Amino acid sequence: MPSPSDPVADIAFEAVSKRYGEVLAVDRIDLAIPKRAFVSLLGPSGCGKTTSLRMMAGFEQPSEGRVLIEGRDVTGEPAYRRPLNMVFQHYALFPHLNVFDNVAYGLRQRRPKPEASEVEKRVGEALEQVRLAGYGKRRSSEISGGQQQRVALARALVNRPKVLLLDEPLAALDRKLRRDMQIELQNLQRDVGITFVLVTHDQEEALSMSDLVCVMKDGRIVQQGTPTELYDAPVNRYVADFVGKSNFLPGVLVETSNRPAARLANGTVVAGRWTGNATRSLTAQSPVAIAVRPELIAMSRPDAGPGASNGILIEATVKNRIFLGENTEYLVATKGLGDLLVLTPKRLEATAGGFAPGDAALISWQPDAALLLTDD
């Protein structure tokens, strides 16, 4: 990844902070967004992600630090001087204008004003890019929510920005349409070949579309990396909990070698693996959390044998069964460890016959499935 001052970065933050009175919304962020990447700022409400996006756009200015675009300091420059465009959550289309005029609006505000033939050509190309050719004469109120979103994208792309900023543009769509638009956004980003920066609180959305994800909390970036890195190697409990589902078992370290282990509340010693440098500095008896993803836990019947060799094996009772189509999610009760989530693929359900509430079961996982994490 480029450093913040590297001109390879389309957008960079150097120790950027933003205050609103006594509230510190963004706290000393360093960030470098590579060229032609799809980047997501992911986090809960109030974490600073939208404020960061607005500082990239020029709608807000940092209280401290610098914002750079392609290595040029743009701190203090207004939005209209920056070579990027923004798509808002509610699209902000003009209801009295048709699709063509909505897309052409930004072009017609330029000085010198482009010729009508140039406007028509550029709008046509933008509508082609978002698969809305032939929709120019329709009013924005006469098209679907997904089509309105694509009009907003075309209006942003018609100005040929170096970077496209997306402020939760899929939040208002239903689940199926949102999934379809995620695929369309990925394809569009590859086709136009420019950098996309997406703000979202939806971890599935961020993981499914992005080359790089920045997980934020309290105005800071807690961890940034590829979706696979964040999911498989979260640096702490917060990231593991926010990115996907995890079971967390409190314990204390009893072994700090390359194969660390922790003793759980019921006395069981569980081996696992480090995921961040912070855990390597811990000593024996330090409190940790063992995190295990639900899909890495196997569930078998008590008479089916010992389960996973060299792994952990725990007696459980099924409390709830939720059918999810391709998977089945079980909530199981264990002695001394509380309730755990188990996610079983449909093909394994068909082989094992499935479980019903009240059934006894054995749950197991391999040592590499368990992550040793701290709270910070």
Side-chain angles (χ1 to χ4, degrees), residues 31-32 68 92 121 155 306 339:
L31 173 65
L68 299 95
K121 176 187 174 185
R155 185 176 60 184
D339 295 345

Side-chain angles (χ1 to χ4, degrees), residues 15 95 189 292:
Q189 192 264 338
V292 186

Side-chain angles (χ1 to χ4, degrees), residues 83-341:
L84 38 78
N85 270 49
M86 189 163 174
V87 177
F88 298 92
Q89 181 175 342
H90 299 294
Y91 312 147
L93 300 180
F94 299 111
H96 62 289
L97 299 180
N98 62 23
V99 167
F100 183 96
D101 290 334
N102 263 287
V103 176
Y105 184 83
L107 286 176
R108 289 169 173 164
Q109 305 311 306
R110 288 190 168 187
R111 295 295 180 268
K113 190 174 182 179
E115 297 288 336
S117 59
E118 176 68 9
V119 171
E120 186 168 354
K121 176 187 174 185
R122 295 269 292 272
V123 172
E125 290 172 348
L127 289 175
E128 284 275 1
Q129 286 178 325
V130 299
R131 298 173 193 161
L132 284 179
Y135 281 72
K137 293 183 179 180
R138 296 196 190 185
R139 291 193 175 274
S140 58
S141 58
E142 298 173 343
I143 57 179
S144 69
Q147 289 166 339
Q148 289 178 16
Q149 194 240 23
R150 282 185 277 168
V151 173
L153 286 168
R155 185 176 60 184
L157 292 170
V158 76
N159 290 313
R160 298 174 181 170
K162 293 182 181 296
V163 180
L164 186 63
L165 307 178
L166 302 143
D167 185 11
E168 303 205 50
L170 310 183
L173 306 181
D174 63 65
R175 181 176 177 82
K176 185 180 184 304
L177 184 55
R178 189 162 63 245
R179 293 292 292 270
D180 291 343
M181 288 308 304
Q182 287 171 8
I183 295 171
E184 289 205 29
L185 277 176
Q186 282 183 297
N187 293 338
L188 181 62
Q189 192 264 338
R190 295 191 191 103
D191 291 343
V192 299
I194 64 174
T195 301
F196 278 26
V197 182
L198 170 73
V199 156
T200 181
H201 63 273
D202 186 326
Q203 50 95 5
E204 180 183 333
E205 191 169 286
L207 295 182
S208 65
M209 292 196 291
S210 308
D211 305 310
L212 176 70
V213 180
C214 302
V215 180
M216 297 187 66
K217 178 186 180 185
D218 298 333
R220 292 187 176 185
I221 296 175
V222 180
Q223 184 177 359
Q224 56 184 308
T226 66
T228 301
E229 289 169 345
L230 295 180
Y231 193 84
D232 291 341
V235 295
N236 57 26
R237 178 169 177 160
Y238 172 80
V239 177
D241 195 21
F242 200 85
V243 179
K245 294 181 179 179
S246 286
N247 294 292
F248 296 102
L249 307 172
V252 294
L253 277 179
V254 294
E255 174 60 52
T256 60
S257 65
N258 290 331
R259 174 61 74 189
R263 180 177 290 108
L264 304 181
N266 67 351
T268 302
V269 175
V270 177
R273 59 185 174 92
W274 300 123
T275 61
N277 291 330
T279 52
R280 295 184 184 275
S281 64
L282 299 177
T283 60
Q285 303 307 308
S286 294
V288 293
I290 299 293
V292 186
R293 299 288 189 187
E295 70 273 14
L296 299 180
I297 300 177
M299 193 159 68
S300 60
R301 301 191 181 280
D303 57 0
S309 60
N310 300 320
I312 194 75
L313 193 65
I314 299 172
E315 294 181 354
T317 302
V318 176
K319 293 180 65 176
N320 298 94
R321 178 181 186 271
I322 302 175
F323 179 66
L324 300 175
E326 66 271 27
N327 298 297
T328 300
E329 185 177 86
Y330 291 99
L331 181 67
V332 302
T334 66
K335 291 183 179 179
L337 298 179
D339 295 345
L340 301 178
L341 278 178

